[in-house]
Amino acid sequence: QVHLEESGGGSVQSGGSLTLTCSVRNDDGRRRCMAWFRQRPDRQREGIAGLSPSGEYQSYSDSVQGRFTISQNRFKTSVTLQMNNLRPDDSGMYTCAAQWDNCRSSRWFQQWEPALWGQGTQVTVSS
């Protein structure tokens, strides 16, 4: 059974960087899309970055555009979220997610609920 495992969360000062990794375990080889979501304190969960099935195209929420970069390795066994110029407001639980059926563009995460979630990794940015 496919499952997702995040790593790389932690604490950093404002203006710093962190790299999150989502490892895809027991991949079944089906065409899929990936994305990162986050849950900040007292706010709704939001999708922040998504990949097209090929990984060629990326989409971002306005809140992270220009600061975060989503990518995947050539074997599509891991997805990375590079986070630069972090702000205290970026603090929260970051979770990767996958979708198979409703997977046509990098913006899938803005339209469809993921089919599979990881367990999440905490990011804390101090001022």
Side-chain angles (χ1 to χ4, degrees), residues 3-118:
H3 65 274
L4 308 175
E5 294 181 3
E6 300 95 337
S7 60
S11 298
V12 66
Q13 288 193 324
S14 182
S17 299
L18 280 175
T19 302
L20 305 183
T21 299
C22 174
S23 298
V24 183
R25 307 296 189 190
N26 300 324
D27 188 19
D28 57 9
R30 288 186 294 154
R31 178 177 172 272
R32 61 172 153 75
C33 292
M34 300 293 293
W36 284 93
F37 288 73
R38 69 180 178 186
Q39 177 84 58
R40 294 181 288 179
D42 300 323
R43 301 189 193 189
Q44 285 190 327
R45 185 181 64 209
E46 63 175 326
I48 57 174
L51 276 174
S52 62
S54 66
E56 182 179 1
Y57 299 101
Q58 307 86 36
S59 293
Y60 301 94
S61 65
D62 290 343
S63 59
V64 306
Q65 178 77 49
R67 299 186 298 124
F68 292 10
T69 303
I70 186 172
S71 61
Q72 68 180 0
N73 66 354
R74 59 178 294 191
F75 301 107
K76 301 183 180 181
T77 55
S78 67
V79 176
T80 298
L81 186 67
Q82 176 64 43
M83 305 186 294
N84 298 327
N85 192 22
L86 284 161
R87 308 162 181 165
D89 193 46
D90 291 316
S91 297
M93 181 67 73
Y94 285 70
T95 307
C96 69
Q99 175 61 260
W100 284 265
D101 294 331
N102 297 304
C103 175
R104 293 180 177 83
S105 79
S106 59
R107 294 199 173 276
W108 71 269
F109 65 98
Q110 298 173 332
Q111 302 166 317
W112 303 101
E113 186 74 5
L116 183 67
W117 296 90

